[in-house]
């Protein structure tokens, strides 16, 4: 990066999470209708992709949204950026209700909320040059930066680690990691205050993921941009985000700061997620991490379970879990702001249990056969 390149700054940006709320989501809901019948199609059901999500993002704060595939993370991100119309709930950005704002009403804040898409191969127009791709948002919003748009694009290319001379190249001439950097440059072209990053590294090689994450972290720190970082890789989220929200089947089940959630999780699903993170066990280097393996897949969002949606895969489920939906509240012993939605929360530790939690009967039988006899495991 050249010495004369200056990074734009956002008003009110700080090095630490701000107490000022930039984005507030309350009861956000998105149901996709299902039509059936012949010859007249009628609504026969709905996919409850997002169902009552509450979330806040502060000015300059990075918030991670994690969960397994199909839980509604990407849909939540597209609702926040208003690429999808919410079914219910409320989205407040900088004090303004944008839940059902018209195209004209949302135009003033559209440039302040940008998105980095998951697939760097399909998110770039193959018929446009890199310069046109990054310059188009400025043209649409009528922004004419000092020195012209081409100069701004070349500066952005250099900022994200690409050669400014690549201005006239096409996307097919770049690798996956380079294409994602182009997507980052496009998102930065309007000097946004909030970026929704929808699994920005999941489609990249492991060797490239760290480079892109470090780039985003550098941008977040130097430009004071708030991030909603959507991912299923807990190691990446821990490195990037200051606060995390765990999502399961359209609902937030646990929210907390990074250290509290990783070291003292309370929701059984959070425990299961953390136990799935690969790690190298070194003898004498502290207690081993617990091991939990759940049976089956996430239930269908068309007919989600009653009460607690995780109860069909939870080893602590009781009758109350089927009849009452647990509220997202702060439990005793948790830090302020660490909220959990569970009737029977786990102990705040990730140390290994005396016996593994294995809920899949087929997996249990397979392990018994491999070990040459029955093993007393739960």
């Amino acid at each position: 990066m050249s010495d004369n390149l200056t990074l734009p700054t956002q008003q009110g940006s700080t090095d630490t999470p701000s107490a000022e709320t930039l984005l507030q989501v309350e009861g956000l809901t998105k149901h996709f209708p299902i039509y059936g019948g012949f010859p007249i199609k009628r609504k026969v059901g709905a996919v409850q992709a997002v169902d009552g999500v509450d979330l806040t993002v502060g000015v300059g704060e990075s918030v991670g949204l994690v969960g397994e595939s199909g839980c509604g993370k990407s849909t939540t991100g597209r609702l926040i950026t208003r690429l999808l119309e919410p079914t219910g709930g409320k989205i407040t950005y900088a004090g303004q209700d944008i839940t059902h704002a018209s195209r004209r009403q949302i135009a003033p804040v559209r440039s302040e909320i940008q998105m980095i898409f998951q697939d760097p191969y399909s998110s770039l127009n193959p018929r446009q040059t890199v310069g046109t791709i990054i310059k188009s948002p400025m043209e649409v919003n009528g922004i004419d930066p000092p020195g012209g748009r081409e100069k701004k694009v070349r500066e952005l290319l250099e900022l994200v680690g690409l050669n400014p001379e690549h201005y006239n190249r096409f996307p097919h001439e770049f690798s996956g990691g380079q294409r994602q950097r182009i997507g980052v440059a496009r998102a930065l072209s309007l000097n946004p205050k909030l970026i929704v990053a929808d699994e920005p590294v999941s489609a990249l090689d492991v060797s490239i993921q760290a480079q892109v994450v470090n780039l985003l972290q550098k941008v977040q720190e130097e430009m004071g941009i708030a991030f909603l970082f959507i991912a299923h890789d807990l190691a990446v989220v821990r490195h990037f985000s200051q606060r995390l929200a765990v999502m399961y089947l359209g609902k937030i089940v646990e929210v907390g700061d990074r250290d509290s959630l990783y070291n003292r999780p309370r929701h059984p699903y959070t425990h299961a997620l953390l136990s799935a993170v690969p790690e190298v066990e070194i003898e004498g280097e502290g207690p081993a991490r617990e091991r939990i393996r759940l049976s089956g897949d996430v239930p269908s969002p068309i007919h989600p379970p009653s009460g607690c949606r995780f109860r069909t895969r939870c080893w602590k489920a009781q009758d109350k879990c089927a009849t009452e939906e647990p509220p997202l509240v702060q439990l005793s012993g948790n830090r302020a702001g660490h909220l959990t939605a569970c009737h029977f929360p786990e102990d705040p530790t990730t140390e290994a249990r005396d016996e593994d939690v294995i809920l899949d009967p087929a997996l249990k039988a397979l392990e018994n056969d491999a070990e040459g006899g029955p093993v007393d495991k739960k």
Side-chain angles (χ1 to χ4, degrees), residues 293 358 360-373 375:
R293 282 175 289 179
I358 303 179
D360 193 331
L363 179 60
K364 183 177 180 179
L366 185 64
E367 290 191 348
N368 290 347
D369 293 341
E371 295 178 7
V375 178

Side-chain angles (χ1 to χ4, degrees), residues 68 345 374:
E68 57 190 309

Side-chain angles (χ1 to χ4, degrees), residues 51-90:
D51 199 14
V53 167
D54 296 328
L55 190 67
T56 60
V57 180
V59 174
E61 183 185 20
S62 57
V63 176
L65 183 60
V66 301
E68 57 190 309
S69 298
C71 69
K73 305 185 303 295
S74 296
T75 302
T76 301
R78 290 173 181 269
L79 290 170
I80 291 173
T81 54
R82 285 301 314 278
L83 295 178
L84 291 175
E85 183 72 16
T87 303
K90 185 178 181 180

Side-chain angles (χ1 to χ4, degrees), residues 62-66 73-74 76-78 80-81 113-119 180 183-184 187 194-202 212-213 216-217 220 225-232 236-237 240-241:
S62 57
V63 176
L65 183 60
V66 301
K73 305 185 303 295
S74 296
T76 301
R78 290 173 181 269
I80 291 173
T81 54
I113 307 176
Q114 294 296 302
M115 190 165 188
I116 300 174
F117 295 93
Q118 178 178 356
D119 188 358
Q180 196 61 293
V184 173
L194 171 66
I195 290 181
V196 177
D198 183 13
E199 304 202 32
V201 298
S202 63
V212 176
V213 171
L216 294 176
Q217 193 169 40
Q220 193 263 336
I225 300 175
F227 270 82
L228 178 62
F229 194 92
I230 300 172
H232 59 263
V236 172
V237 175
F240 186 84
S241 302

Side-chain angles (χ1 to χ4, degrees), residues 301-337:
I302 302 176
H303 301 291
S306 61
C308 176
R309 297 193 171 186
F310 184 61
R311 66 177 176 82
T312 58
R313 306 174 72 193
C314 182
W315 58 95
K316 303 190 74 173
Q318 300 184 25
D319 293 341
K320 182 179 180 180
C321 301
T323 58
E324 298 180 24
E325 181 179 338
L328 188 64
V329 296
Q330 182 174 332
L331 303 176
S332 60
N334 281 4
R335 289 184 185 178

Side-chain angles (χ1 to χ4, degrees), residues 58 69 82 95 131 146 161 195 200 211 233 287 294 347 356:
S69 298
R82 285 301 314 278
I195 290 181
Q211 299 177 19
D233 189 330
L294 305 176
D347 293 332
D356 295 338

Side-chain angles (χ1 to χ4, degrees), residues 167-185:
Y167 181 90
N168 291 316
R169 289 192 178 184
F170 289 87
H172 72 269
E173 301 179 66
F174 296 89
S175 66
Q178 290 174 322
R179 293 188 195 192
Q180 196 61 293
R181 290 172 183 266
I182 295 170
V184 173

